[in-house]
Amino acid sequence: MSNVFRLDSRAIVRMASGAALYGVFSWVTNILLLPSASLISLRPAIVIPIFFGLQWGPVVGFFAGLVGNLIGDTLTGMGFFPMWDLGNGIVGGVAGIAPLLGRSRRALDLVVAASVAALVALGLWMQRFTTAIDAPFAGPGFVPAEQVGWPFAVAAVLFVLRLAFRGRSPAAEAAVWGVFAVLVGMGTAALLDVPYNGMKVSVALFGEFLPASVANTFNTLVLLPPLIRAYERALIRRGR
Amino acid sequence: MQVFQYRERTGAYAALDERARVLLTACGVLATLVTWNPAPLAVLAVVAVAIVPLARVSWVEIRRFVFFAGFVITLLVFFTWLTHGGTPDERRAHALAQSLRMVSLVAFTAVLPFTIEPPRWGATFRGLGVSDRLSFAVELAVRFVPTFAERFERTVRAQSARGMDLSARSGPIRRLRKLVPILVPVLLDVIVAGEDVADAMDLRAFGARPRTWSGTRRFGGRERVVLGLGLSLVALAIAA
């Protein structure tokens, strides 16, 4: 376990490689923008910090996501959005928990079960607060969008994905880790935008979290398994 | 490929030690984050925008940046205004403060990649107290960008020569899967090359003792004045 936190020359090169690669691939794909409350792009490159995290731990994954996002946004000229840099770092960092837990099926089950339970508890707790809001297009008694049960929806997505990928190849199961990392990272970035940019929780959730997490979940499920399988085959060929 | 948008510049801002520029940006960002009062936010936005011409960054260089950031700011402010509670006056005040905050945050951070030479990022972070290893990882990431971009372009050309057609119309999953033959060879190439770089670092006893950084500048009187300006901005924001 201590190895993944040691910053030796290999870890430093992997951190730098992940960040540069994520930056370059983001630069290439940042032009594919999604309809959203802010500038969220369809970014297949998100699999790179997840891959680096899964292979070499949270420090490498976090650095690849954070610095890679900074590099990608700088190359594209999209500006600086620190909460999203942090969110991308968290995606890589959370994916890096997998090697810490030995990437076992049981660990993934436990993580998903704990997350689902936490999300359901959060959803039930939020139901206690039903207030009317005074906003355009919404009359009195309108239930704010952030209270219509988004934690239940996220919990359901995680649960269904875990069931759908259970018993498949380790590469496919790794994709569930990737989706979990995406939900945590994008959720954190969107929710931090509430105090940071003064957004409503509903705008952050439906305008940022939803498009970012759906697009990145899709990218992760499609691209991560073949990437991991190809890497494992290459390792076998090289005798490592 | 041009790495970032850096080019050598003249003038008072360019003559400053990079650490002073980073600290001014950090103070500006911190000051912006601690207040929602439009008066100090207006001062901060004016200072942030004034730094752009002082840094001799031209309109042509930042127009893409301004377009993207302007688009994001307009969207976020619009959606927040639409959903924010309170009277129309309160909503207008919140929208004004939010716009000023975002302009200030973007402008403070925008000039850095235009004015700090990519290989100087490592020395700058080290000078600010970040560890040798993390500073070197940042520098290495920045140095890797042009190499990886070249590898990416070469792989796309090679796969195109083998008949891959990225532009062909097909469904989203099929289009994403077409990225796999590009992503996999570039990633494996980068990982293998990284092993060589790590070996070279080990052979040079990287990390055995504190690293020396070339071209370290002096944090003199001008830099202290700039730091004082940054701290006064923070004090202004806290006092307001």
Side-chain angles (χ1 to χ4, degrees):
Chain A
M1 190 183 277
S2 61
N3 275 351
V4 292
F5 291 107
R6 223 180 99 208
L7 278 187
D8 57 9
S9 53
R10 262 172 185 70
I12 289 170
V13 171
R14 282 165 187 157
M15 285 156 69
S17 302
L21 202 57
Y22 184 37
V24 169
F25 271 96
S26 302
W27 168 59
V28 176
T29 55
N30 262 358
I31 46 166
L32 309 168
L33 299 178
L34 295 173
S36 55
S38 60
L39 211 60
I40 290 167
S41 54
L42 180 67
R43 192 183 284 191
I46 191 70
V47 295
I48 290 167
I50 297 174
F51 175 84
F52 275 75
L54 283 170
Q55 295 300 328
W56 296 296
V59 177
V60 174
F62 182 81
F63 188 92
L66 178 89
V67 178
N69 197 61
L70 269 168
I71 292 175
D73 283 354
T74 306
L75 289 172
T76 321
M78 279 175 90
F80 283 88
F81 300 94
M83 295 305 134
W84 289 91
D85 298 326
L86 183 66
N88 277 272
I90 290 172
V91 170
V94 170
I97 296 172
L100 283 181
L101 299 175
R103 268 213 269 172
S104 69
R105 209 163 265 181
R106 195 162 167 219
L108 182 57
D109 283 342
L110 273 175
V111 167
V112 170
S115 311
V116 168
L119 283 163
V120 168
L122 178 67
L124 289 173
W125 178 72
M126 283 171 69
Q127 297 306 308
R128 296 172 57 201
F129 306 95
T130 320
T131 53
I133 58 164
D134 173 27
F137 317 124
F142 174 81
V143 180
E146 64 265 32
Q147 292 173 22
V148 295
W150 63 268
F152 297 119
V154 178
V157 168
L158 258 181
F159 186 68
V160 169
L161 268 178
R162 181 67 198 117
L163 282 185
F165 282 77
R166 198 171 159 73
R168 296 205 183 186
S169 68
E173 292 216 327
V176 182
W177 263 111
V179 172
F180 176 68
V182 162
L183 293 174
V184 175
M186 298 295 105
T188 309
L191 289 175
L192 282 175
D193 251 355
V194 175
Y196 184 72
N197 281 329
M199 291 165 69
K200 289 283 289 181
V201 177
S202 52
V203 176
L205 287 174
F206 289 89
E208 294 193 330
F209 172 67
L210 190 67
S213 57
V214 168
N216 287 330
T217 295
F218 181 66
N219 289 327
T220 306
L221 290 177
V222 173
L223 289 177
L224 195 61
L227 196 62
I228 290 177
R229 274 194 289 268
Y231 176 68
E232 282 169 356
R233 276 199 299 267
L235 283 186
I236 293 167
R237 274 202 304 272
R238 284 172 61 85
R240 293 196 180 200
Chain B
M1 183 190 143
Q2 189 189 355
V3 184
F4 304 113
Q5 292 90 356
Y6 172 81
R7 70 175 172 78
E8 206 173 320
R9 288 161 215 276
T10 54
Y13 186 84
L16 284 172
D17 185 310
E18 288 89 351
R19 288 171 293 176
R21 294 183 236 165
V22 172
L23 286 174
L24 176 64
T25 297
C27 287
V29 169
L30 180 66
T32 309
L33 288 180
V34 296
T35 184
W36 277 95
N37 186 334
L41 283 174
V43 174
L44 287 163
V46 168
V47 171
V49 172
I51 290 174
V52 178
L54 275 177
R56 307 264 168 103
V57 177
S58 71
W59 161 247
V60 177
E61 286 174 288
I62 58 162
R63 63 184 172 189
R64 186 180 166 84
F65 198 93
V66 170
F67 166 74
F68 274 121
F71 183 67
V72 174
I73 291 169
T74 309
L75 268 180
L76 283 178
V77 171
F78 175 71
F79 279 113
T80 307
W81 173 80
L82 207 63
T83 55
H84 196 267
T87 63
D89 280 348
E90 283 169 349
R91 289 221 304 270
R92 268 196 293 275
H94 186 268
L96 174 68
Q98 193 188 15
S99 315
L100 289 169
R101 251 168 95 95
M102 295 184 75
V103 167
S104 169
L105 288 171
V106 169
F108 267 121
T109 47
V111 289
L112 290 179
F114 291 96
T115 54
I116 296 184
E117 195 181 354
R120 297 278 310 154
W121 280 101
T124 304
F125 279 112
R126 183 69 194 104
L128 288 169
V130 178
S131 74
D132 261 345
R133 289 162 192 265
L134 270 181
S135 304
F136 189 69
V138 172
E139 186 171 321
L140 207 54
V142 174
R143 285 185 182 192
F144 277 156
V145 169
T147 316
F148 291 179
E150 193 272 330
R151 278 184 186 154
F152 175 81
E153 285 170 1
R154 198 176 56 199
T155 308
V156 170
R157 281 199 302 271
Q159 298 292 31
S160 301
R162 294 184 181 101
M164 190 188 73
D165 185 7
L166 274 175
S167 61
R169 280 177 176 265
S170 52
I173 294 180
R174 198 177 278 249
R175 286 185 79 168
L176 260 186
R177 278 195 178 279
K178 280 183 183 171
L179 288 176
V180 174
I182 297 171
L183 202 55
V184 169
V186 175
L187 183 79
L188 295 180
D189 199 14
V190 160
I191 291 169
V192 171
E195 294 288 316
D196 294 340
V197 175
D199 285 341
M201 285 164 67
D202 284 342
L203 285 170
R204 287 167 178 79
F206 177 85
R209 56 182 178 176
R211 190 182 145 79
T212 53
W213 297 84
S214 62
T216 308
R217 295 200 202 185
R218 205 177 130 258
F219 201 91
R222 279 180 313 188
E223 284 76 13
R224 287 198 184 91
V225 170
V226 169
L227 182 58
L229 170 71
L231 292 174
S232 359
L233 290 175
V234 177
L236 172 77
I238 291 172

